[in-house]
Amino acid sequence: MAGLINGVGVKITGEADLAAAELRTTDGYQRTKFAIFNLVLEQLEALGITAETAPASMIRDGVEQAITRFAAKEGLALNAAERSLLAAEVQNEVVGLGPLEPLLKDPSIDDIIVNGPFRIFVERGGQLSAVPARFRDTAHLMNIIQRIVSPIGRRVDEATPYVDARLQDGSRVNVVIPPIALDGPMVSIRKFRTQAMGAQDYVRLGSMSQEMLGFLSAAVRSRLNILICGGTGSGKTTLLNMLSGYIEERERLITIEDAAELQLRQSHVVRLETRPANLDGSREVNARDLVRNALRMRPDRIILGEVRGAEAVEMLQAMSTGHDGSMATMHANSSRDAFGRLEMLLGFGGLGGDPKTLRRYIANSIQIVIQVNRMANGKRRVTSVSELTGLEGESYSLNQLFGFEEQPPLSGLGEFRTLSARPYFGHRLVGAPDLRGAAARGLA
């Protein structure tokens, strides 16, 4: 593009992707793109319409006209590839999310991480890498952030410098801005899978064994209460989505989330989402409020996207008082760590007192605990499936049915093992696989 980068022409040739990537990072290209962007907005304003209400064909035509006008005024000789690149990126600025738009459309990307206006990273196959995309400046990034949070009634400003939100396609977004983000606005996007992982995908990709899948599907159908534990990005919600597919169509389900991302396929699903406080600190609706209300809505099962606060009290009440088959996720490094966190959260909810009483309450509410981990090689695996069978003195009694043995350590490689042939809740399971042969192989 003659005159676009410090007065030196840059031409996109056979290596189009590489040249385009280099071009995007230059100040000259950014200035040109936003000059054309401003021309498009002026055209729309002259017609008395906004980018949100204008037809897509009008936006495309307006972008092409603006490029032509700007090129003629500045004496730029644009070839077809250069013109196409500018047109696509200006259109993303007008009606999309700017530099994030092509990353959101790339099916190979799972996470997008923005560290200030000039550094963008993506995760592919569990591995992070930088991409040659950038925002013009902090103001540009803040404008895109406002486009993300405004449509769902959220806000982010100096008074509320962080927020959880979601995109129209269901992708989960977290935003942190100054003054608490010292190096500029930070955006983390967990992309929504357009096609949810199926049960056999877990076996095919090595995320669980066939015996695990058989047992867990039977546990869901048999209405055992299930808690899924793991770290950030370990695949808890994805696993919850998959297991929910085994719930019968006739059941009434209520889901409760901070940012709606579950993809339940049943027809009788009620989706509830928390709401943050407004500017004066009122009108907040938290997860505990929603669980309490859900209990009055005649649910067959309650599915809680994540347990992280005082809502643990109501969740365990639901699990132990007639809402069998309920499911939830929570952050924990192991099954026993999860119980310790639950005890702490029950204390936050006002259930203090004798630790043994709290442990008995937990043990009477939860039957199955699943641990998922993201391994060192980026693979996500179910590393443990255990039954919570009660208490032995002051400690929880766990019957571990399945595990993943990693060899060598920190490699992400290894094999699944069937560790027990006798499920404690076997008498309640419908259609569970016979684990005796698998256990013999696993213990050999």
Side-chain angles (χ1 to χ4, degrees):
M1 290 183 183
L4 201 55
I5 306 177
N6 298 326
V8 178
V10 173
K11 190 170 183 177
I12 299 179
T13 56
E15 300 180 357
D17 291 341
L18 178 60
E22 293 175 351
L23 188 59
R24 288 188 184 102
T25 62
T26 64
D27 292 335
Y29 176 79
Q30 293 294 324
R31 286 193 298 270
T32 298
K33 182 173 73 171
F34 280 95
I36 297 170
F37 168 69
N38 289 329
L39 286 176
V40 175
L41 295 187
E42 289 172 8
Q43 291 174 2
L44 294 175
E45 186 177 349
L47 295 173
I49 57 178
T50 65
E52 290 75 18
T53 58
S57 58
M58 181 180 290
I59 297 292
R60 286 195 300 271
D61 292 343
V63 170
E64 291 291 344
Q65 293 169 14
I67 292 174
T68 300
R69 288 169 53 196
F70 186 84
K73 179 182 176 182
E74 299 296 324
L76 298 180
L78 306 177
N79 64 29
E82 295 165 344
R83 191 181 184 98
S84 177
L85 175 64
L86 262 178
E89 296 215 344
V90 172
Q91 189 162 334
N92 287 339
E93 294 295 340
V94 176
V95 295
L97 297 179
L100 299 180
E101 201 68 30
L103 304 179
L104 290 167
K105 293 177 180 176
D106 187 339
S108 69
I109 294 175
D110 297 317
D111 288 79
I112 303 169
I113 300 171
V114 179
N115 293 346
F118 308 123
R119 292 181 296 169
I120 301 178
F121 297 83
V122 299
E123 180 188 307
R124 290 185 175 94
Q127 302 296 322
L128 280 176
S129 60
V131 293
R134 52 166 284 191
F135 293 86
R136 179 180 58 178
D137 50 29
T138 298
H140 180 205
L141 176 52
M142 285 300 301
N143 180 53
I144 297 299
I145 288 172
Q146 295 301 337
R147 285 194 197 180
I148 292 172
V149 302
S150 297
I152 60 171
R154 304 290 171 98
R155 73 179 196 282
V156 59
D157 49 37
E158 286 192 6
T160 309
Y162 57 90
V163 66
D164 287 318
R166 55 182 165 79
L167 302 180
Q168 289 185 346
D169 68 355
S171 297
R172 185 171 59 189
V173 183
N174 177 265
V175 175
V176 185
I177 67 170
I180 63 174
L182 301 182
D183 299 316
M186 305 288 171
V187 182
S188 303
I189 301 176
R190 174 71 49 80
K191 285 179 61 178
F192 183 82
R193 286 181 174 269
T194 55
Q195 184 173 1
M197 280 186 65
Q200 289 304 321
D201 291 333
Y202 271 82
V203 177
R204 178 176 56 83
L205 295 173
S207 296
M208 67 170 63
S209 66
Q210 189 67 51
E211 289 80 12
M212 281 181 176
L213 177 60
F215 174 82
L216 292 176
S217 62
V220 174
R221 287 193 297 265
S222 305
R223 301 180 65 87
L224 297 183
N225 295 323
I226 297 175
L227 181 65
I228 301 174
C229 310
T232 300
S234 59
K236 302 184 296 298
T237 302
T238 304
L239 178 58
L240 180 59
N241 263 321
M242 186 275 285
L243 293 179
S244 70
Y246 291 103
I247 299 174
E248 293 187 22
E249 180 69 26
R250 62 182 174 82
E251 296 188 46
R252 175 174 166 84
L253 311 178
I254 297 181
T255 68
I256 297 167
E257 303 173 82
D258 285 326
E261 56 181 325
L262 290 171
Q263 308 173 57
L264 273 64
R265 295 176 288 278
Q266 290 78 1
S267 58
H268 202 163
V269 177
V270 178
R271 303 169 72 213
L272 304 179
E273 187 178 62
T274 61
R275 184 181 69 190
N278 59 17
L279 286 172
D280 61 7
S282 62
R283 301 185 65 187
E284 177 186 11
V285 180
N286 58 38
R288 188 173 194 180
D289 298 328
L290 293 180
V291 176
R292 284 174 174 169
N293 189 75
L295 293 171
R296 304 185 183 101
M297 298 174 66
R298 198 253 173 232
D300 288 309
R301 305 191 197 213
I302 294 176
I303 299 179
L304 190 55
E306 184 175 339
V307 185
R308 62 177 72 183
E311 67 273 8
V313 176
E314 280 70 26
M315 181 200 74
L316 293 180
Q317 284 181 350
M319 287 180 166
S320 60
T321 56
H323 301 92
D324 294 341
S326 294
M327 295 187 280
T329 76
M330 73 180 302
H331 281 82
N333 291 327
S334 69
S335 300
R336 292 194 182 275
D337 284 350
F339 301 141
R341 282 206 68 211
L342 273 176
E343 292 177 25
M344 178 182 67
L345 296 179
L346 291 176
F348 292 163
L351 287 187
D354 180 21
K356 189 170 184 177
T357 302
L358 293 181
R359 290 169 188 165
R360 187 179 297 113
Y361 182 40
I362 293 170
N364 289 339
S365 304
I366 297 171
Q367 283 91 46
I368 304 296
V369 187
I370 306 170
Q371 181 70 31
V372 293
N373 289 95
R374 181 166 59 178
M375 315 303 287
N377 61 359
K379 294 284 188 181
R380 294 169 172 86
R381 302 191 194 277
V382 177
T383 55
S384 173
V385 177
S386 303
E387 298 174 297
L388 178 53
T389 61
L391 294 178
E392 289 183 1
E394 298 291 326
S395 302
Y396 294 99
S397 177
L398 288 175
N399 178 31
Q400 186 175 3
L401 299 171
F402 305 97
F404 178 76
E405 184 176 317
E406 186 179 22
Q407 288 294 337
L410 299 179
S411 66
L413 305 176
E415 61 179 353
F416 294 102
R417 313 273 284 183
T418 300
L419 304 175
S420 174
R422 298 182 179 276
Y424 180 83
F425 294 105
H427 62 287
R428 291 184 52 181
L429 294 176
V430 177
D434 187 347
L435 301 181
R436 286 174 293 183
R441 292 193 301 274
L443 295 173

